[in-house]
Amino acid sequence: MECEYRVDIKKTIKNLLFFHEPRVERPFILTEVSREGEYGPGLAKAREKPRRKKNENLLLEKIEKAKLTGKKESQADEKAPDISRQLSENLEVIEERFSVPLNGDLIIRKFDIAVKDSVIAAFMVFFDGLVNNKVIDDDILQPLMLLSNLDIRSDGDDLLIYIRSHILPHNQLKEVRTHQEVIDTVFFGGCGIYIDGLDTAFAADVKEFPGRTVERPNTELVIRGPQEGFTESLRANTGLIRKRLMDQNLIAEDIIIGKRSKTPCSILYIRDIANDSLVAEVRRRLKSIEADHIMDTGELEQYIEDNPALPIPQVMATERPDRVCSMLADGRVAIVMHGSPFALVVPITNSDILHSAEDQFLRFPYSNLLRGIRILAILVSLLLPAIFLAITNYHHEMIPTDLLLAILSAREKVPFPSVVEVFLMEISFELIREAGIRIPGPIGPTLGIIGALILGQAAVEANIVSPILIIIVAVTGLGSFAIPNFSTGFAFRILRFGFIILAALSGFLGITAGLMLLGFWMVNSKSFGVPFVSPVAPRAKGGFSDAVFKSPVWNQEKRPDFMNAKKDSKQAEISRGWINRGSSGRQPDGGDRNE
Amino acid sequence: MNKGKHLAIFIMIAIICPLMTSCFDAKEVDDLGFVIALGLDRGKTNELLMTLQIAKPMASNNGGGGGKEDELPYATFSVEAPTMVSGLNMINTFASKQITLSHIKVVVFSSELARDGLGPYLHALIRGREFRPNMPIVVARNTAEEYLQSVDPKLVLNAAKYYELVYQSYRYTGLIPKVEFHDFYLAAESMCRNPVAILGDASKFESAEEFDIENSTYLEHGRSAPLEGDFLAGDIPAVGGARAENIGIAVFDGDTMVGELDGTDTTYHLLCTGDFVHSYWTIPDPLSEGDYVLFDVKQSRRPQHRVEIVDGKPVIHVTLNLEGDLVSVQSGIDYESGERSLLLESAMESYVKKEVSGYLDKTIREFKSDICGFGAQARGLFLTWAEWEAYQWNKRYKDATYTVNANFKIRRPGLILRSKSSISSESESDEQ
């Protein structure tokens, strides 16, 4: 047994050390599309597609089509109409599917409809608490039960058409032919109406969920710019996006996720900007998820991201509708989920995690200052404790003598090696941070006092840590809070510990090795077919106007090349028409002459 | 599952490998003793007497006792040893912290040692990776030990800072040369130039009553009274602050010291090498005997060296480009006006010519050592390296002749646009 195991290890080591043919995989590639420049036709002509790519594209489309048709067929089988003309049979099915005696909040209301002399039995089903009772009373029950007696002129005999077009004045009414559709609607705040003698049921949308109203976003606060954040309701969220992006090509595709939870989601994109293969890929990934319950986009993100092990997030989660809108306008795809106040946007690159929503609204010198500070914050949060350790343990000659002597005298009475010191402080800082989130509101201030006392004064006075280290940890903490993306903050907190260990083991050599590994890792990863460090590697045109630093907004003419959007440019070469006298616009020359 | 196992083993190996090194090189700051100055003298019992100043951690300010007199910013160790490295070893036997030289600020040699040749020590310094290549080299006219002790810890709160700043003063006094160790070493090995070191010594005056100008070099310069630069280290009539004085040049031929130059000549040396930044000059007034004109002199352009070889002897042409602001005119003559300013400029030019010629004379006749690096220009006159080597520049330098050309421009008259002699009953004019 033991011997076998040893052999296994040998093999493993061999496997690790020697060359293998790399496994051929077919990763998702964002296919290029022929782009028409909306502004200036010269650009599209200049960039001619290579032929090989074209063929590939065709092939992919074929595969995609075959898959879609295949799926449709299988879905058609599932959705065979199963509503009976007998009301009692339908009632039985519904009672069984909703486990009626057990479910207390399910309401089944039986009533009669008087239609042209005859009385027809009917019932409706909905969940109490998910629906607007007033709408049900006024717009569904009242017309069916009372107003159906009115003398309505109509010539058709079909009861279904008669009811739909004359009796039910409710605005969102669907005719459905399967129980499943009714049930799905009921769970999403609708009500199902069954009528005797019809093999079709009505699904009316009367939802009114208990929930928050639109509030300020909690994580991405800005000073300049809109102050609305997403809420937990899907339609309110898509509404917030539509409110800003009044583009007729904005598509909000519905999709249901979760085999049991059946959480409704929307895929949003602008049809004539977003790359089709990207939209198809998002759809494919979402549809392929075979999980019972998905509650939040935080979970969903983990199902669809490319590299689960990479600490840095490859999907942007944002609470701000305006942010989603501007990213949609770049040709990205957003996913909004019912029950989650965060929308996901894909694909992103590493420069997107540097950006804050405010950058867009500030004049470019201001946002460049902020960008610079953020880069510094990332470096500090990632490397400062490691650099401190490396210098004090390995590279004493690197710092000014006075600083060295100051560190020396501060450390003179500290009994631990500086690695232990750094870990002690970093861990207690993380403790305070975690406790600060969990602590109930009213006793929050206590934590501040404890934190300040323990970390600040007492630890120094007890000679457990040196005062300089307090500064290092404090600055590191500030740096990690200045990173605009919440998940990225986490990523750098984790990586920081890695860098501390590397620095303790081999100083700058270790830090350099760590940075290289991190670089390899990032260069190697993709987010929905877009290389994670583009436009830097691979080099792409047009991405630089708003990558690390931002050029003035009228100068950002191109959508990033790596996005392979259908429209290449987002504004004219000269977008400020007024700077060219006599060109388009108001023609100031003519005006002058008149005067 | 197999993949997971592979990954686990790979991660284990990846973690264990670096752990085997276990912080191999790491040294905590507080386990080290940082030498900030090193002095080398001829020992009584052995080859060398080493004097080390080791920085102490700054006294913690608890209690706030103010001036603790016994609390020195550094500890001084002396040891007699055959070589530098063995000396460090010997000190490590009784110093609690491991001695490290990575923050050394200055190396001081005694002139006795320097006159015997620094070769063996230079090699040790250049090889040791802990020595900083930009540290200055000082030659103490007396002993290095005395020089280091004269950096009085009571007056100099932070010795490391003192050393860092004091050797940078050539930028604004022009009285010490610019010396960096790597350059010193290169010059010592070079075939076309020779190195210089800062001349330093402890002041010989304890109080103002003892002042004299016996050792001043003003007579050599043909002056009636000493100007600010007419001293060698240790002879300046001054008290206060650190007793250590740095003024003048220790001239080397190869690695052997051959002579000393005073502060004034140091200025001309800086002018000729192009390291001059700015300083205040006092020159005799051309129109009024006994009065002086003060200039803030800058180098407007680096000096131009041109070398010819005539009959096998080097002929050196030096062109100096200077400019200056008027700082003070003691006589009150309005040198601001056109005619007079030209007069003053030409007087300054001839003064510089004369003085620099005197300096070049000394390097050629007295020291026979090309400390200005004219050889670098001479190299270009030879077609092959073998010819250059055969010429033996350093030996031929003593036969060199030279011409000095100086351009001087007055740029600004300071805050006074027109001088007027002060109006009083006596016609005696005063400084403006």
Side-chain angles (χ1 to χ4, degrees):
Chain A
M1 181 70 196
E2 209 186 345
C3 187
E4 233 172 66
Y5 195 65
R6 199 175 299 150
V7 171
D8 194 19
I9 288 180
K10 238 186 211 170
K11 233 190 233 165
T12 317
I13 292 173
K14 238 187 204 168
N15 276 342
L16 287 171
L17 294 181
F18 295 105
F19 175 77
H20 309 274
E21 277 300 320
R23 229 179 337 142
V24 182
E25 282 175 7
R26 189 175 150 273
F28 168 60
I29 298 164
L30 208 52
T31 47
E32 281 193 44
V33 288
S34 66
R35 289 182 228 177
E36 317 126 33
E38 210 165 316
Y39 308 94
L43 293 162
K45 269 182 201 167
R47 198 176 290 123
E48 212 170 274
K49 249 189 313 178
R51 181 155 295 175
R52 203 177 57 80
K53 277 263 166 74
K54 199 174 179 182
N55 289 340
E56 206 175 72
N57 203 354
L58 276 177
L59 196 73
L60 271 177
E61 271 171 23
K62 266 182 194 169
I63 293 169
E64 213 64 54
K65 245 179 215 171
K67 271 184 189 169
L68 280 176
T69 47
K71 240 176 210 174
K72 259 180 196 163
E73 276 163 20
S74 64
Q75 277 177 354
D77 292 342
E78 269 174 36
K79 290 196 169 176
D82 58 353
I83 293 179
S84 157
R85 285 181 186 275
Q86 290 287 325
L87 188 65
S88 53
E89 271 179 36
N90 289 337
L91 185 61
E92 262 172 43
V93 174
I94 289 296
E95 283 182 342
E96 186 215 318
R97 296 284 280 273
F98 281 110
S99 338
V100 161
L102 291 174
N103 259 335
D105 53 350
L106 186 85
I107 312 275
I108 296 179
R109 168 79 160 86
K110 293 171 189 158
F111 57 94
D112 290 337
I113 313 174
V115 186
K116 298 180 183 169
D117 313 330
S118 58
V119 172
I120 302 164
F123 73 88
M124 70 187 298
V125 55
F126 59 88
F127 273 110
D128 191 16
L130 291 184
V131 298
N132 186 334
N133 282 325
K134 191 160 167 41
V135 173
I136 289 184
D137 290 350
D138 290 358
D139 298 344
I140 295 173
L141 283 178
Q142 202 177 0
L144 283 174
M145 292 166 74
L146 302 175
L147 304 181
S148 56
N149 287 328
L150 293 176
D151 185 20
I152 298 166
R153 266 178 293 155
S154 84
D155 31 345
D157 289 333
D158 194 336
L159 184 65
L160 176 73
I161 295 170
Y162 179 74
I163 291 180
R164 191 191 60 198
S165 47
H166 295 290
I167 300 186
L168 270 181
H170 187 60
N171 61 7
Q172 287 194 36
L173 196 67
K174 258 192 310 186
E175 286 163 34
V176 295
R177 302 181 69 85
T178 59
H179 288 298
Q180 190 56 45
E181 283 175 84
V182 176
I183 292 165
D184 289 347
T185 316
V186 169
F187 273 115
F188 194 43
C191 76
I193 304 156
Y194 288 86
I195 294 164
D196 194 25
L198 292 183
D199 61 351
T200 309
F202 291 105
D205 186 15
V206 288
K207 62 174 166 294
E208 186 184 76
F209 297 123
R212 288 191 300 155
T213 52
V214 175
E215 286 169 14
R216 281 179 159 226
N218 279 325
T219 52
E220 295 160 279
L221 290 172
V222 298
I223 293 169
R224 182 100 188 252
Q227 306 287 346
E228 284 173 337
F230 286 129
T231 64
E232 282 80 358
S233 134
L234 174 69
R235 282 294 163 242
N237 291 352
T238 52
L240 283 172
I241 293 170
R242 272 204 196 275
K243 176 175 142 191
R244 281 191 179 71
L245 206 62
M246 281 170 277
D247 187 326
Q248 57 176 352
N249 285 310
L250 172 64
I251 305 293
E253 233 180 82
D254 276 348
I255 191 169
I256 304 285
I257 294 173
K259 284 274 165 286
R260 277 164 173 281
S261 69
K262 298 218 185 289
T263 321
C265 294
S266 271
I267 307 174
L268 289 108
Y269 55 92
I270 299 178
R271 193 168 46 187
D272 59 346
I273 295 176
N275 189 314
D276 285 334
S277 63
L278 172 66
V279 179
E281 174 70 10
V282 173
R283 204 185 288 130
R284 189 180 74 86
R285 288 196 193 178
L286 289 177
K287 277 192 176 154
S288 71
I289 297 171
E290 301 259 346
D292 280 356
H293 296 275
I294 295 181
M295 299 301 177
D296 191 90
T297 46
E299 262 174 88
L300 185 63
E301 180 185 346
Q302 299 174 47
Y303 282 104
I304 60 171
E305 67 189 350
D306 294 63
N307 309 283
L310 182 70
I312 299 160
Q314 304 122 55
V315 174
M316 167 79 70
T318 175
E319 246 185 313
R320 304 185 55 87
D322 54 301
R323 191 112 198 261
V324 172
C325 290
S326 68
M327 291 178 106
L328 286 178
D330 267 351
R332 300 180 213 235
V333 176
I335 303 157
V336 186
M337 189 181 209
H338 184 66
S340 171
F342 284 89
L344 301 181
V345 184
V346 292
I348 60 163
T349 61
N350 70 335
S351 58
D352 290 312
I353 57 179
L354 269 181
H355 300 180
S356 119
E358 205 167 14
D359 291 356
Q360 222 184 327
F361 308 119
L362 291 176
R363 300 182 61 226
F364 79 100
Y366 313 160
S367 45
N368 282 338
L369 169 75
L370 295 182
R371 295 260 172 100
I373 288 173
R374 271 180 228 139
I375 292 170
L376 186 76
I378 284 181
L379 290 180
V380 159
S381 134
L382 191 63
L383 294 178
L384 188 66
I387 287 176
F388 173 76
L389 263 186
I391 286 178
T392 52
N393 277 304
Y394 294 92
H395 315 284
H396 311 118
E397 67 281 353
M398 281 197 55
I399 41 175
T401 311
D402 289 347
L403 181 60
L404 182 91
L405 294 182
I407 294 175
L408 194 155
S409 48
R411 278 201 41 79
E412 194 71 9
K413 286 179 184 167
V414 176
F416 305 117
S418 42
V419 200
V420 177
E421 231 185 321
V422 168
F423 266 111
L424 214 67
M425 287 310 293
E426 283 293 340
I427 288 170
S428 42
F429 178 72
E430 293 295 329
L431 270 179
I432 289 188
R433 188 198 279 233
E434 183 62 12
I437 297 171
R438 310 279 160 247
I439 202 162
I443 41 173
T446 344
L447 187 81
I449 298 165
I450 295 173
L453 276 181
I454 292 181
L455 283 187
Q457 233 176 326
V460 172
E461 277 187 10
N463 290 327
I464 289 174
V465 295
S466 55
I468 285 184
L469 204 72
I470 304 265
I471 299 171
I472 301 265
V473 172
V475 172
T476 310
L478 279 182
S480 72
F481 285 125
I483 298 170
N485 188 307
F486 180 66
S487 314
T488 316
F490 267 115
F492 289 135
R493 269 155 79 186
I494 296 167
L495 290 172
R496 172 158 82 231
F497 283 100
F499 277 105
I500 290 175
I501 293 170
L502 286 173
L505 288 177
S506 47
F508 277 153
L509 179 69
I511 295 178
T512 316
L515 283 175
M516 265 175 67
L517 284 176
L518 186 62
F520 292 159
W521 202 358
M522 279 169 66
V523 168
N524 194 28
S525 17
K526 279 187 168 189
S527 160
F528 281 80
V530 171
F532 197 57
V533 283
S534 53
V536 179
R539 199 120 176 121
K541 260 202 250 150
F544 286 101
S545 59
D546 190 19
V548 181
F549 289 103
K550 190 183 124 172
S551 53
V553 71
W554 41 263
N555 212 4
Q556 300 176 18
E557 283 141 13
K558 300 272 185 308
R559 299 205 160 82
D561 191 52
F562 49 78
M563 214 66 78
N564 278 332
K566 283 184 192 164
K567 294 259 163 47
D568 189 35
S569 49
K570 49 182 174 183
Q571 53 184 319
E573 198 89 6
I574 295 169
S575 45
R576 301 173 298 164
W578 54 269
I579 57 167
N580 256 0
R581 280 186 156 259
S583 73
S584 61
R586 287 200 179 165
Q587 292 174 345
D589 288 344
D592 285 347
R593 235 173 281 140
N594 283 346
E595 280 173 34
Chain B
M1 183 216 145
N2 202 19
K3 197 183 163 197
K5 213 186 213 173
H6 282 195
L7 196 71
I9 289 171
F10 177 75
I11 290 173
M12 269 154 63
I13 293 172
I15 290 177
I16 288 170
C17 282
L19 282 180
M20 292 197 178
T21 67
S22 70
C23 316
F24 175 72
D25 264 350
K27 289 193 182 84
E28 292 287 349
V29 188
D30 47 329
D31 297 345
L32 297 173
F34 290 95
V35 178
I36 51 174
L38 171 65
L40 295 172
D41 290 303
R42 183 73 70 214
K44 277 185 215 126
T45 63
N46 214 329
E47 189 74 12
L48 279 177
L49 167 66
M50 286 174 67
T51 311
L52 269 66
Q53 283 181 355
I54 295 174
K56 278 186 184 173
M58 280 160 207
S60 52
N61 299 343
N62 43 1
K68 278 186 193 164
E69 299 239 332
D70 51 339
E71 197 81 48
L72 302 184
Y74 55 77
T76 307
F77 294 84
S78 293
V79 67
E80 296 213 333
T83 64
M84 228 164 20
V85 183
S86 56
L88 291 179
N89 267 346
M90 286 162 83
I91 290 180
N92 269 330
T93 58
F94 60 91
S96 67
K97 293 182 173 183
Q98 188 187 339
I99 303 294
T100 173
L101 297 165
S102 62
H103 273 267
I104 193 160
K105 296 293 170 199
V106 60
V107 177
V108 184
F109 295 99
S110 72
S111 69
E112 185 191 0
L113 217 55
R115 283 181 195 277
D116 288 351
L118 294 179
Y121 317 112
L122 290 184
H123 287 293
L125 290 178
I126 201 83
R127 257 182 230 281
R129 72 166 65 163
E130 287 189 341
F131 289 99
R132 294 192 165 229
N134 64 346
M135 65 189 176
I137 300 289
V138 173
V139 170
R141 295 180 73 200
N142 221 328
T143 65
E145 192 183 8
E146 191 194 343
Y147 175 82
L148 288 181
Q149 274 165 1
S150 67
V151 179
D152 194 334
K154 278 170 207 153
L155 294 162
V156 181
L157 279 177
N158 183 344
K161 188 140 202 173
Y162 170 83
Y163 290 128
E164 260 171 38
L165 293 180
V166 77
Y167 301 121
Q168 295 295 318
S169 63
Y170 75 88
R171 290 168 190 277
Y172 47 89
T173 64
L175 297 179
I176 59 168
K178 178 189 178 187
V179 182
E180 286 181 352
F181 171 65
H182 65 105
D183 195 52
F184 184 93
Y185 179 78
L186 285 179
E189 300 272 292
S190 166
M191 280 190 290
C192 63
R193 63 195 174 116
N194 277 319
V196 294
I198 298 164
L199 195 64
D201 199 11
S203 172
K204 63 179 185 179
F205 304 112
E206 297 277 344
S207 67
E209 283 91 61
E210 300 171 20
F211 284 170
D212 64 58
I213 50 169
E214 261 174 40
N215 294 323
S216 172
T217 52
Y218 67 102
L219 293 173
E220 288 173 31
H221 288 282
R223 281 192 266 270
S224 54
L227 290 180
E228 67 270 32
D230 296 342
F231 296 97
L232 290 166
D235 297 337
I236 302 176
V239 289
R243 273 186 59 229
E245 277 171 10
N246 304 291
I247 183 168
I249 289 180
V251 181
F252 280 74
D253 184 1
D255 59 8
T256 316
M257 180 173 160
V258 289
E260 295 167 345
L261 283 171
D262 66 2
T264 319
D265 284 332
T266 306
T267 311
Y268 307 135
H269 172 73
L270 289 173
L271 278 180
C272 289
T273 55
D275 291 326
F276 184 77
V277 183
H278 89 115
S279 73
Y280 294 101
W281 284 29
T282 314
I283 67 156
D285 195 320
L287 295 181
S288 165
E289 190 85 8
D291 283 333
Y292 290 104
V293 178
L294 258 81
F295 279 110
D296 181 5
V297 181
K298 297 180 190 71
Q299 186 176 254
S300 59
R301 188 171 300 184
R302 290 181 64 81
Q304 284 136 24
H305 298 170
R306 202 160 56 79
V307 179
E308 295 169 317
I309 291 178
V310 180
D311 303 334
K313 287 180 182 173
V315 181
I316 297 161
H317 305 283
V318 185
T319 308
L320 303 172
N321 301 292
L322 302 174
E323 59 181 42
D325 301 347
L326 267 179
V327 175
S328 164
V329 182
Q330 291 183 335
S331 59
I333 299 167
D334 57 334
Y335 283 117
E336 298 85 9
S337 63
E339 284 293 307
R340 290 219 175 101
S341 80
L342 290 179
L343 186 89
L344 190 61
E345 279 173 4
S346 65
M348 179 70 173
E349 279 167 7
S350 57
Y351 176 81
V352 171
K353 259 187 220 170
K354 188 188 100 203
E355 294 282 324
V356 171
S357 301
Y359 155 74
L360 286 177
D361 251 353
K362 269 185 206 162
T363 67
I364 293 170
R365 316 274 170 255
E366 194 178 333
F367 306 129
K368 304 178 178 65
S369 167
D370 176 18
I371 53 178
C372 296
F374 295 120
Q377 288 292 319
R379 239 175 355 194
L381 301 172
F382 295 88
L383 288 177
T384 63
W385 187 252
E387 282 176 41
W388 160 249
E389 276 181 330
Y391 183 72
Q392 291 188 306
W393 171 267
N394 280 337
K395 286 194 178 160
R396 301 284 186 100
Y397 182 70
K398 64 176 193 295
D399 302 327
T401 50
Y402 58 86
T403 61
V404 179
N405 194 10
N407 299 315
F408 182 79
K409 288 275 173 295
I410 299 175
R411 295 290 179 205
R412 281 160 291 260
L415 292 182
I416 296 178
L417 286 179
R418 185 160 300 149
S419 303
K420 265 185 166 181
S421 38
S422 41
I423 297 161
S424 63
S425 52
E426 280 112 327
S427 61
E428 189 82 26
S429 58
D430 211 343
E431 192 184 334
Q432 296 300 305

